[in-house]
Amino acid sequence: MHVTGHTRGGKRPGIRDVATAAGVSYQTVSRVINDHPSVKPATRERVLAAIEALGFRRSATALALASGRARSVTVLTANTTHYGYAATLQGIEEAARAAGYTVAIGVLESDTVADVRTEVRRAADTGGGLIVMAYDTAGVRALAAVPTELPVVGVVETPSRPPAGHRPWVWTDDREAARTVTRHLLDLGHRTVHYVAIPSSTRRTGQRTAGWRDALRAAGAPVPRPLAGSWDPAGGYQAGLRLARDPSVTAILCGNDDLALGVIRALHEAGRAIPGEVSVAGFDDAPHSAFLTPSLTTVRLDFTGLGRAAFGRLHGLLEAAAPVAPRPVSVPLLIVRESSGPPPAPLPPTPPSEAPRA
């Protein structure tokens, strides 16, 4: 095992430099760093004091050689730019760095079975463990293709049933989040809420769509046909142009904040005031949501915490810790801003015109 740092001359020292500074053998330094029980307490304190004084840090590569385990994690994902993906990756990296692990990213550029299997095989060959972001077809196929002997954690949509114990998953409660924001719009007095959906990771209805529908049905409200969007503002813009033409539309929920950005633009171009005529709500509380005009009502999900939890589950597998019971990572939080309000008041009836005088 080695430690690395910088001496006064700028050189990055090895284990023998640490041994010299502490006045012990390099074998003793190795035992201290690897927490071997055979080292006397006074000797251990002297070695640790020397390391602290010199500002040395552990080398992850040397630790892997000493322990026989690769202290690395590979994240397989089809996207690294959309907010939910990017924030989850941030959480994984933060937690891994704190634990002395390195993180590699394998991008699933295609969702074909052959291409996905190739990428999974490449990730498996690096050793360590895998985290698969299964929010889309490529990710779902990758999670299913991981060899059973390889430690893996899936970051998934809210599951319809608990995952098998040997393949832990983590998720945010998208379904409850959608119910929460839909109830908010209904409570403002809207007769119903229209929905622009993000793609689902399965062929079944996505959990955000399901939660939106749950809330409408529970309130006895009409359930409009959801509009298929995408992940980006362009999809929201196209859906918004269609909805803007319907004067009965007074509330729109979007499957993410980027879709809401496109819907707001389409409503603005159509002359529909927000929220005076149409309320708009998003999903995720992306950083730009608070700075739109009007600022966006949305529901916040802790994606960074989700990434930390994903690494935590994987770290437990790699270190043979006790398994953690599957559960949602965080409770959704409704963020009410300027883009939602009561529906427009109905126009008063037009009084009959007076009869012309004779």
Side-chain angles (χ1 to χ4, degrees):
M1 172 64 198
H2 288 25
V3 292
T4 57
H6 293 281
T7 62
R8 291 179 181 177
K11 177 185 175 183
R12 190 179 295 272
I15 194 170
R16 296 181 186 276
D17 300 287
V18 178
T20 299
V24 297
S25 69
Y26 73 88
Q27 294 96 332
T28 298
V29 175
S30 178
R31 283 192 287 269
V32 169
I33 294 173
N34 288 290
D35 202 25
H36 197 281
S38 65
V39 182
K40 294 180 180 179
T43 303
R44 184 184 304 277
E45 289 179 9
R46 192 163 69 252
V47 171
L48 292 176
I51 292 174
E52 178 68 22
L54 293 172
F56 291 164
R57 60 179 176 81
R58 295 188 177 195
S59 162
T61 301
L63 180 58
L65 292 173
S67 65
R69 295 193 309 271
R71 296 180 67 85
S72 64
V73 172
T74 299
V75 182
L76 289 178
T77 178
N79 193 288
T80 59
T81 59
H82 292 317
Y83 173 67
Y85 289 82
T88 303
L89 287 170
Q90 176 186 342
I92 292 170
E93 193 280 329
E94 288 176 354
R97 176 160 32 92
Y101 278 66
T102 59
V103 177
I105 298 176
V107 178
L108 302 166
E109 296 183 349
S110 166
D111 63 6
T112 65
V113 173
D115 288 346
V116 167
R117 286 178 176 171
T118 297
E119 195 61 44
V120 169
R121 192 179 308 114
R122 183 180 294 116
D125 288 344
T126 65
L130 281 180
I131 296 175
V132 180
M133 298 180 64
Y135 287 144
D136 42 56
T137 301
V140 170
R141 287 177 176 171
L143 187 56
V146 175
T148 57
E149 69 275 8
L150 189 67
V152 61
V153 172
V155 181
V156 302
E157 283 191 76
T158 306
S160 57
R161 59 182 180 275
H166 66 289
R167 282 294 169 93
W169 300 343
V170 296
W171 65 92
T172 55
D173 198 343
D174 288 40
R175 190 163 187 160
E176 178 56 31
R179 283 194 289 257
T180 297
V181 68
T182 304
R183 283 194 298 263
H184 164 69
L185 294 169
L186 292 173
D187 289 345
L188 289 171
H190 294 277
R191 176 174 173 267
T192 190
V193 178
H194 292 256
Y195 183 61
V196 182
I198 57 173
S200 174
S201 64
T202 69
R203 295 181 180 179
R204 300 186 299 275
T205 299
Q207 292 300 313
R208 298 186 182 190
T209 303
W212 160 78
R213 187 174 289 125
D214 289 345
L216 293 180
R217 288 174 174 168
V223 182
R225 182 184 297 275
L227 296 182
S230 60
W231 293 99
D232 53 36
Y237 177 75
Q238 294 301 321
L241 290 177
R242 293 177 57 185
L243 292 169
R245 292 193 292 264
D246 185 348
S248 71
V249 173
T250 66
I252 303 171
L253 173 62
C254 301
N256 69 17
D257 292 344
D258 283 344
L259 286 176
L261 178 63
V263 166
I264 288 173
R265 178 65 190 183
L267 292 172
H268 172 74
E269 290 182 1
R272 304 288 303 273
I274 304 169
E277 295 180 62
V278 184
S279 288
V280 179
F283 223 106
D284 298 341
D285 194 27
H288 63 262
S289 302
F291 300 97
L292 299 177
T293 302
S295 58
L296 183 65
T297 291
T298 185
V299 62
R300 178 181 297 163
L301 296 172
D302 184 7
F303 288 108
T304 306
L306 181 69
R308 294 192 191 102
F311 176 79
R313 302 289 196 278
L314 183 60
H315 191 224
L317 293 177
L318 295 172
E319 302 292 337
V324 178
R327 65 183 186 279
V329 167
S330 63
V331 176
L333 178 63
L334 178 66
I335 308 296
V336 178
R337 297 194 181 104
E338 299 168 343
S339 67
S340 61
L347 295 174
T350 304
S353 58
E354 294 183 359
R357 296 180 179 180

